[in-house]
Amino acid sequence: MTGTTGNLLLDALSVETRTTILSLCRQIELPVRTLLHEQGETPAYVYFLCSGIASVVVTMAEGGSAEVGLIGREGLVGAMQLLGSTPTPSQTFLQMEGVTLRMRRDDLKTLFVTSTELRNRILEFIQQQSVTLEQIAACNKLHEAEERLARWLLMSRDRADNDTMTMTQEFMADMLGTRRTTVTLVASSLQQRGLISYRRGKVTIVSRHDLEKAACDCYRVCHEALTALYK
């Protein structure tokens, strides 16, 4: 398998480097809510997503949780664990089902050290993730629920590459760290204004242009960081 994979990081590599990585990967299909790594653990595997979306979520001791990052085809789950031994306070699971290339973390770490090309690409992705995390942290603190929901839907759509996504209001509330009743009110308002449609656990972005206007400027910052990858 030396052709394109659907994963943008892998496909940005030279054929030689990509072939080496693929020889150490196993392709697997993952359903929604598959846990890829738990909070505080050093995972045995990393995952290059070829489709689907992974959510990076921090859960507090008192039980509340909020999403601090999204990973799709642009990168890999487990990149931060290549940089050092500090435990991560987040867990990562599949927000949307997908196909992934799974690889042992130790194998990738060896290549990360020996291959300048691979290391530069992974560090580029980690920088994008850092920008996104910083922006989402400020967004969750400073912006209203409608702006945050519009931003989150757009970020999910960018990675799903589809205007229709399967997600419940309860899930959206968990990701935004807010109450389900708040999401219900905000989603209803967006639907009444023709920005989205919501039916039986499926959200469809009807007017991307208007949804972008409803979102805070955090979406622009995160979107520009995403589209700048691998140029």
Side-chain angles (χ1 to χ4, degrees):
M1 182 178 178
T2 59
T4 57
T5 65
N7 180 275
L8 302 182
L9 191 157
L10 290 179
D11 292 344
L13 298 171
S14 65
V15 172
E16 180 182 5
T17 302
R18 184 165 68 247
T19 300
T20 299
I21 293 173
L22 292 177
S23 70
L24 299 169
C25 287
R26 177 187 174 192
Q27 182 173 298
I28 55 176
E29 295 184 10
L30 299 176
V32 174
R33 290 286 183 172
T34 299
L35 184 65
L36 300 182
H37 75 76
E38 187 54 271
Q39 179 176 330
E41 77 171 6
T42 299
Y45 296 97
V46 296
Y47 300 83
F48 294 92
L49 296 182
C50 302
S51 63
I53 306 173
S55 290
V56 183
V57 177
V58 171
T59 300
M60 299 300 183
E62 63 272 18
S65 62
E67 184 181 74
V68 295
L70 287 168
I71 302 172
R73 297 185 306 115
E74 73 278 6
L76 72 150
V77 174
M80 291 296 291
Q81 284 77 14
L82 298 173
L83 302 184
S85 58
T86 301
T88 173
S90 64
Q91 64 174 202
T92 304
F93 60 87
L94 263 289
Q95 175 196 130
M96 187 175 297
E97 65 183 6
V99 175
T100 182
L101 294 166
R102 189 180 72 180
M103 181 179 183
R104 290 189 58 81
R105 183 185 66 89
D106 289 346
D107 289 339
L108 185 61
K109 191 167 186 178
T110 298
L111 293 174
F112 180 77
V113 172
T114 58
S115 171
T116 301
E117 179 193 17
L118 176 62
R119 184 167 61 252
N120 287 343
R121 290 304 189 189
I122 290 177
L123 289 175
E124 191 176 356
F125 166 69
I126 290 174
Q127 183 187 45
Q128 179 267 330
Q129 283 287 293
S130 178
V131 169
T132 300
L133 185 151
E134 292 169 4
Q135 200 68 36
I136 290 177
C139 182
N140 286 341
K141 173 67 176 177
L142 300 173
H143 293 148
E144 299 297 326
E146 179 174 296
E147 294 176 305
R148 292 191 289 124
L149 180 59
R151 184 263 302 161
W152 184 78
L153 288 172
L154 288 164
M155 290 180 66
S156 295
R157 191 259 173 258
D158 286 344
R159 289 157 178 82
D161 199 24
N162 195 318
D163 286 331
T164 298
M165 299 167 284
T166 300
M167 51 187 65
T168 65
Q169 291 186 357
E170 181 179 5
F171 178 77
M172 288 188 279
D174 287 344
M175 294 303 96
L176 294 174
T178 191
R179 296 179 180 179
R180 180 178 176 179
T181 52
T182 301
V183 169
T184 299
L185 289 172
V186 172
S188 295
S189 175
L190 293 176
Q191 181 165 250
Q192 290 170 7
R193 284 145 53 197
L195 279 64
I196 67 170
S197 66
Y198 185 82
R199 181 179 175 84
R200 296 179 180 177
K202 290 188 181 294
V203 177
T204 299
I205 296 177
V206 178
S207 175
R208 181 187 178 105
H209 175 73
D210 290 330
L211 193 62
E212 287 185 9
K213 290 198 295 184
C216 49
D217 194 53
C218 296
Y219 172 66
R220 178 192 60 78
V221 174
C222 293
H223 182 67
E224 288 179 355
L226 178 67
T227 55
L229 278 175
Y230 320 130
K231 296 297 187 184

